[in-house]
Amino acid sequence: MLQTHTLFKAASILALSVAASAHLGTADATADQMQEIHPEAWPKLTSPIKHDQALEDRISVIMAKMSIEDKVGQTIQGELRHLTPEDVRKYRLGSVLNGGGSQPYGKKIATPEDWLRLADEFYDASMDTSEGGIAIPILWGTDAVHGHNNVKGATIFPHNIGLGAARNPNLIRQIGHATAREVRVTGQEWSFAPTLAVVRDDRWGRTYESYSEHPQIVADYAKAMVEGIQGAANTDTFLTGDHVIASAKHFLGDGGTDGGKDQGDNIDSEETLRDIHAAGYVTALDAGVQTVMASFSGWNGRKMHGRKMLLTDVLKGQMDFDGFIVGDWNGHGQVQGCTNENCPETYNAGLDMVMVPEDWKALYHNTVSQVKDGTIPLERLDDAVRRILRVKIRAGLFDGGKPSSRALAAKTEVLGHRDHRALARQAVRESLVLLKNNDGLLPIKPNSTILVTGDGADNIGKQSGGWTLSWQGNDNQNSDFPGGTSIWDGIKEAADNNGSKATLSADGSYAEKPDVAIVVFGENPYAEFQGDRDYLAYGSSKNNEVELLRKYQAAGIKTVAVFLSGRPLYTTPELNASDAFVAAWLPGSQGAGVGDVILSGQDGNPSNDFKGKLSFSWPERADQGPLNVGDEHYAPLFAYGYGLSYTDSKNLPVLEEFAVPETANSDYFFNDGVVSPYKLFVTAEPAWSLEIANNGGELKVAEQIAVELVDRNVQEDARRISFSGQAQAAAMLKIFDTLDLSRETNGDMQLGMTIRVDSKPEGPVYLGMGCGNECFGGVDIAERLSNFTTGEWVNVNVPLKCFRAAGADMEKLETLWRVGTDKPFAFTINKVGLVPPQADLSCPPIIKKIDGIKQD
């Protein structure tokens, strides 16, 4: 319970926000000052869960029977694609997770029955004592971050940024409970939610996972969401029946990294770390949250997975957290001196369960050895295991039987239940923020002729965003959302109810001039670092929505913009081209809630008013990040807390439009042509002279290699590269700087190519990345290429980790793509870049050293 810490008085919050920009990491600060933590200055808490001596005695009895190997196994969490029930049986593993996009049995979309059947198989393996093991039920964790979003048919709630705009903690509590109920159906007991980042730089790719830039909203919502997921502490609802374990994440400061870089470094002061970034953890702990996930990010140069004073002295000591701390996806491998396979430092810092998706077996063996030789004290291991068992017993895992025998298991009617969908639709209505409504255009009056267009109008996948059925959420169709409704569905329903005529137009054209045009557009789905941006710029898609809006205005048609996004963005051109502008965020599977608000009832009165208020400040310029209420020189376009309702009669004047700075595309190196700042080169023996292959004009090449401009979809959008086989030759994409792809490598991203094999290779074909001879790694893709039909366009993807394993230094890449051979071979390339993990994460044959090939 809270004891001596009073949270976020209104009079002090502005000062705290200003303090967020006062960093310790200045040039004249000493290393000790930069690293100093004062646990006694942090909130002094007492765990709200009453001490249970019988439970602790039960743990002691179990642990007395466990070997060191058994204990280490409990601290290991592997990923679904990289372990089997047999692995759980043999190594006595404590936990399994499904990563983003990972589905049971390798399926793209698994059924609820598949999820539950595999949950039973893992459980049976963990309870098997036939070979003398201790029966300890396994714990399955899943990223149920806006509903049970990995499972087809589940209710997908608005992402947190939209919920923050709703300002309704009771709604959050209900959403948490509904999500827990749906998780129970498929046999999982642990949700990796809620995210409690207080985002201070909206360029971060995970901004939409945050409720607000203001710590008070995050604090209020943290308690409500934890209680919704877990049940209220010290009541008969706690972790029972239709509740599951929650996880407060990511501890600590991930919302304040320098430059908004995912997995980056927070250089704020200790006071800001405590008073702003820890706000949600104080109330989550007060609600009895049972797990806390450590952050990928660091603080003043040291990663959180290795920070003992924060994990142990502050969280477990001063704040009396008696659950367990789990790592994030290979986050321990980023600690200085560690690898994914070897990291005693993270255990000694206080991490209790290590999330090591693929390399769990090596980490297991190394950790066993390190406990036996004293590198990791046995007392530290025992503390970790006690904490894990404590949570498992509290959650009823020891007494609950198979997952299929527990409450709500296999009750598929609970997935997407009508009450849950109604709750999600309410959340959509309450999260909408009205930024502009000139001349009271909204709500749209009865008997109107309405044109609906934009690539987000009838696209449930786009409106749901990342972390939806897959990691990035970018490959979903409306059919993947049974029971879901698009924004168009809701507009059509509301129009039918008020006597209006609504028409959906894919290209924006119309036969009959409408009274009003609604254009639904915005960001395409992304997750984690793939959403990082250099500037807060929207930038219209190929549909060019701003020109479409201007066209309608010029024709005398009233315009409504419904903007889908995971953060506030510079959209002034779109605002100027709209008579009304609605920030709809990422509303999830029940997009019909938009229509509930923007159209009137049959009587002409609003059916529902706008309730949403900005929980993030809206930028006036694209280069205006970070931007937070209370900052010095705070000058947003729309301030924190802004949001019109139908009682407002304010007209927005024409706004000044600003240029958007150019930025490099970090996802693609070649995309219908070479992407700036990358350059295409060719090289060949014996001179090894490098010649630039330009986008146009004459292409200078050596006789061993030729490059031709080729048309695929549009003029000169591909390059045909031919090897004569006379000597070693290569084509490569380089950057005159270095590119750090370590986090992408850690996240199982892949180097992807869209190519056409024009003549099959007659020998090895080396695909590589690196920064010179000493830090270059390659794989032989000849066998894969030989399996393709000549003349057919295909995608070739190789995990970045394969190049790292081959010797590439992924932190300072200069060559992003290199294809070379000394045998005859020809292919055409259309795209080269980074792609999310695919089903096949295996490596082609790794080439530790490519003899005779100069890499730079």
Side-chain angles (χ1 to χ4, degrees):
M1 291 179 285
L2 294 169
Q3 284 189 338
T4 62
H5 193 68
T6 302
L7 283 173
F8 322 121
K9 293 181 179 178
S12 65
I13 184 59
L14 295 184
L16 292 178
S17 298
V18 172
S21 63
H23 304 316
L24 277 180
T26 57
D28 59 349
T30 68
D32 286 342
Q33 286 175 322
M34 291 172 64
Q35 301 301 327
E36 195 169 5
I37 289 288
H38 304 85
E40 71 281 359
W42 289 65
K44 177 65 176 174
L45 309 181
T46 300
S47 173
I49 313 299
K50 296 176 182 177
H51 178 78
D52 185 339
Q53 190 57 50
L55 182 151
E56 298 301 324
D57 291 343
R58 184 178 181 182
I59 294 173
S60 297
V61 170
I62 296 170
M63 290 182 64
K65 301 175 183 177
M66 297 174 71
S67 66
I68 287 177
E69 288 78 4
D70 292 332
K71 292 176 181 178
V72 170
Q74 283 299 300
T75 71
I76 300 290
Q77 182 182 60
E79 205 273 336
L80 200 62
R81 291 169 293 186
H82 305 296
L83 58 78
T84 65
E86 179 56 35
D87 292 323
V88 172
R89 179 182 293 105
K90 180 176 180 180
Y91 293 96
R92 318 312 298 173
L93 302 182
S95 183
V96 63
L97 83 145
N98 57 282
S102 181
Q103 302 265 336
Y105 307 114
K107 296 184 177 181
K108 183 181 185 295
I109 300 291
T111 66
E113 292 79 10
D114 289 330
W115 287 86
L116 189 58
R117 183 168 72 255
L118 186 56
D120 274 355
E121 290 172 7
F122 279 125
Y123 175 84
D124 288 342
S126 69
M127 300 300 286
D128 185 350
T129 61
S130 61
E131 297 180 5
I134 306 299
I136 300 176
I138 196 167
L139 178 59
W140 185 335
T142 187
D143 278 297
V145 295
H146 63 139
H148 195 16
N149 44 264
N150 293 289
V151 178
K152 183 175 180 178
T155 308
I156 308 299
F157 293 94
H159 269 296
N160 288 354
I161 192 170
L163 300 180
R167 304 292 206 279
N168 188 343
N170 186 54
L171 175 68
I172 301 309
R173 185 176 289 103
Q174 294 177 69
I175 289 172
H177 189 197
T179 300
R181 286 172 53 82
E182 298 201 14
V183 169
R184 279 288 188 185
V185 172
T186 56
Q188 288 70 53
E189 312 91 359
W190 184 12
S191 171
F192 294 148
T195 297
L196 302 181
V198 182
V199 173
R200 310 294 288 180
D201 192 329
D202 303 349
R203 293 174 293 181
W204 187 33
R206 303 187 77 156
T207 295
Y208 64 77
E209 296 184 53
S210 172
Y211 298 118
S212 180
E213 72 189 39
H214 198 306
Q216 186 63 63
I217 292 178
V218 177
D220 291 343
Y221 275 23
K223 183 177 179 67
M225 184 59 84
V226 169
E227 289 179 344
I229 295 171
Q230 294 191 163
N234 298 315
T235 70
D236 56 7
T237 68
F238 185 64
L239 296 177
T240 59
D242 54 2
H243 294 94
V244 297
I245 299 164
S247 180
K249 68 181 191 183
H250 308 85
F251 191 85
L252 183 63
D254 51 342
T257 57
D258 189 26
K261 298 299 183 185
D262 190 49
Q263 303 182 27
D265 193 38
N266 186 315
I267 58 175
D268 287 333
S269 67
E270 181 186 5
E271 290 76 17
T272 298
L273 196 66
R274 178 194 67 202
D275 295 335
I276 290 183
H277 296 294
Y281 295 93
V282 174
T283 54
L285 292 169
D286 191 47
V289 70
Q290 289 297 282
T291 69
V292 171
M293 184 179 291
S295 177
F296 277 127
S297 62
W299 181 63
N300 282 310
R302 289 178 54 202
K303 290 289 186 176
M304 285 291 168
H305 277 65
R307 275 199 167 273
K308 182 177 185 294
M309 292 195 75
L310 284 166
L311 297 182
T312 298
D313 298 349
V314 170
L315 182 57
K316 294 179 176 178
Q318 183 77 354
M319 300 172 81
D320 199 31
F321 174 57
D322 70 353
F324 70 83
I325 303 174
V326 63
D328 206 345
W329 190 283
N330 285 333
H332 62 285
Q334 299 186 30
V335 174
Q336 185 174 7
C338 288
T339 65
N340 293 347
E341 302 87 0
N342 190 338
C343 194
E345 290 87 347
T346 201
Y347 283 96
N348 290 337
L351 204 75
D352 302 306
M353 182 180 286
V354 185
M355 186 186 291
V356 53
E358 181 176 1
D359 302 306
W360 58 267
K361 191 178 296 184
L363 183 71
Y364 167 87
H365 288 300
N366 286 326
T367 303
V368 167
S369 297
Q370 288 153 0
V371 173
K372 290 182 176 180
D373 70 17
T375 303
I376 300 173
L378 181 58
E379 294 79 7
R380 171 75 272 273
L381 177 64
D382 284 347
D383 173 62
V385 174
R386 177 170 289 274
R387 289 170 175 275
I388 292 166
L389 296 181
R390 182 182 294 136
V391 172
K392 288 185 173 184
I393 293 173
R394 284 174 175 171
L397 267 62
F398 278 85
D399 308 311
K402 289 186 178 184
S404 60
S405 68
R406 299 173 192 164
L408 299 183
K411 295 186 180 300
T412 54
E413 67 274 14
V414 174
L415 281 173
H417 190 277
R418 63 179 180 275
D419 291 345
H420 297 171
R421 295 200 304 270
L423 182 65
R425 189 163 174 168
Q426 175 191 346
V428 174
R429 291 195 298 267
E430 296 191 18
S431 67
L432 302 176
V433 179
L434 182 61
L435 298 181
K436 181 179 182 179
N437 193 26
N438 283 10
D439 300 324
L441 174 60
L442 299 180
I444 297 172
K445 305 302 185 285
N447 305 312
S448 297
T449 303
I450 305 167
L451 176 71
V452 183
T453 189
D455 66 353
D458 193 27
N459 191 333
I460 303 176
K462 178 160 182 163
Q463 74 192 34
S464 296
W467 295 111
T468 306
L469 295 179
S470 65
W471 179 33
Q472 297 294 314
N474 56 3
D475 52 357
N476 298 318
Q477 309 297 321
N478 284 0
S479 58
D480 294 325
F481 299 91
T485 55
S486 69
I487 292 172
W488 155 249
D489 291 330
I491 293 172
K492 180 68 166 63
E493 177 186 338
D496 289 346
N497 289 339
N498 81 354
S500 294
K501 177 185 177 182
T503 302
L504 179 66
S505 172
D507 61 4
S509 62
Y510 53 88
E512 176 187 359
K513 181 180 177 180
D515 300 314
V516 59
I518 302 174
V519 183
V520 187
F521 63 99
E523 292 187 291
N524 290 321
Y526 55 82
E528 296 192 84
F529 46 80
Q530 290 209 44
D532 282 3
R533 299 290 182 263
D534 292 332
Y535 300 101
L536 296 173
Y538 164 53
S540 295
S541 72
K542 62 183 179 181
N543 293 324
N544 206 356
E545 301 91 355
V546 70
E547 293 302 324
L548 197 58
L549 289 164
R550 288 168 179 163
K551 174 185 172 183
Y552 294 142
Q553 281 191 331
I557 301 168
K558 294 295 184 180
T559 54
V560 179
V562 177
F563 185 54
L564 302 170
S565 74
R567 58 196 140 197
L569 292 170
Y570 171 74
T571 49
T572 298
E574 290 80 7
L575 278 156
N576 283 336
S578 308
D579 296 295
F581 191 102
V582 179
W585 313 111
L586 298 170
S589 65
Q590 305 307 310
V594 175
D596 292 343
V597 181
I598 67 173
L599 278 80
S600 75
Q602 196 168 23
D603 59 3
N605 295 319
S607 299
N608 297 276
D609 202 349
F610 282 91
K611 294 183 177 181
K613 304 296 179 185
L614 290 179
S615 58
F616 287 85
S617 305
W618 198 281
E620 183 180 35
R621 305 184 314 277
D623 61 354
Q624 207 173 3
L627 178 68
N628 297 293
V629 61
D631 286 351
E632 190 176 2
H633 309 302
Y634 179 67
L637 181 60
F638 301 110
Y640 169 88
Y642 180 89
L644 301 173
S645 70
Y646 286 139
T647 60
D648 295 309
S649 57
K650 176 181 178 181
N651 274 6
L652 191 69
V654 175
L655 303 168
E656 181 180 1
E657 297 184 15
F658 298 91
V660 175
E662 292 187 7
T663 181
N665 185 326
S666 60
D667 292 334
Y668 282 99
F669 317 130
F670 188 102
N671 188 9
D672 299 339
V674 181
V675 176
S676 178
Y678 309 106
K679 300 289 184 181
L680 177 63
F681 290 88
V682 294
T683 181
E685 289 183 338
W688 291 110
S689 59
L690 293 170
E691 300 287 347
I692 298 176
N694 298 309
N695 279 343
E698 182 182 358
L699 297 177
K700 299 178 181 179
V701 297
E703 62 182 7
Q704 295 93 333
I705 183 170
V707 179
E708 302 172 62
L709 300 176
V710 176
D711 300 341
R712 183 193 178 196
N713 299 314
V714 297
Q715 185 176 359
E716 299 179 352
D717 64 342
R719 303 289 180 271
R720 188 174 190 270
I721 301 172
S722 304
F723 298 91
S724 68
Q726 297 180 28
Q728 191 67 244
M732 63 186 75
L733 288 162
K734 296 176 68 70
I735 185 171
F736 289 101
D737 196 350
T738 60
L739 193 65
D740 183 353
L741 295 184
S742 56
R743 61 180 182 173
E744 288 83 355
T745 305
N746 182 61
D748 278 342
M749 294 285 286
Q750 297 184 310
L751 179 64
M753 304 183 293
T754 300
I755 70 170
R756 182 186 68 199
V757 175
D758 298 319
S759 67
K760 293 193 176 184
E762 297 181 18
V765 175
Y766 303 119
L767 173 66
M769 306 179 78
C771 56
N773 291 335
E774 301 306 317
C775 53
F776 194 90
V779 297
D780 181 3
I781 58 171
E783 183 176 353
R784 289 193 184 183
L785 297 176
S786 297
N787 291 329
F788 297 132
T789 301
T790 302
E792 180 182 359
W793 285 98
V794 296
N795 293 319
V796 179
N797 303 315
V798 176
L800 296 178
K801 67 180 181 181
C802 302
F803 303 107
R804 181 176 62 188
D809 187 337
M810 306 306 288
E811 294 185 4
K812 51 181 181 180
L813 294 171
E814 297 171 359
T815 300
L816 289 311
W817 170 87
R818 183 190 186 286
V819 174
T821 184
D822 61 357
K823 301 295 182 183
F825 171 53
F827 72 102
T828 302
I829 188 82
N830 178 243
K831 293 185 188 298
V832 179
L834 304 180
V835 296
Q838 309 297 307
D840 182 9
L841 292 176
S842 63
C843 293
I846 288 175
I847 311 300
K848 287 289 185 180
K849 180 173 177 56
I850 305 176
D851 293 333
I853 297 181
K854 184 176 180 181
Q855 312 302 344
D856 52 13

